[in-house]
Amino acid sequence: MMRNVPALLLACATLLLPTLAVADQTGMASMHSWTKVGGRTCMSDHYHYGGTSGTKSTKKAALSDAIASWQSFTDFEYGSDWASFNLATGKQVDCSESSSGWSCQIEARPCLGKSRR
């Protein structure tokens, strides 16, 4: 029985390696059409939105919160391969200051990195 352990481990590793190499995606992105933008695969016309959950003392903090919101929801829906605001296209950022502080609302179309697809 113990002589078969290395063979069993090799068989398990052979089955698991392709799974480990699979991109971190939920599979939900395939419901949208895609296009190439600057060497990246991006959603053609589907935008995601993010915003501050309150007001922040600085514009930088409000924008950081809005980006984190966008990335979190995009990650949840499509997986982390799609969840980089830096790679997104069609970005719109709207920040404003009120008497209680800064708030930002953003939107963008998710994209995969250049090395994907």
Side-chain angles (χ1 to χ4, degrees), residues 1 4 40 44 46 63 68-69 71 81 84 93 101 103 108 110 112:
M1 176 84 167
N4 292 334
R40 298 183 313 271
S44 299
H46 180 71
L63 183 56
S69 169
Q71 290 181 155
D81 289 351
S84 171
V93 177
S103 64
L112 292 171

Side-chain angles (χ1 to χ4, degrees), residues 35 37 40 42-43 47 70 84-92 107-111:
T35 189
V37 177
R40 298 183 313 271
C42 302
M43 296 192 179
Y47 284 80
W70 185 95
S84 171
F85 188 74
N86 288 338
L87 295 177
T89 192
K91 297 176 189 175
Q92 298 289 321
E107 65 180 63
R109 296 188 342 251
C111 298

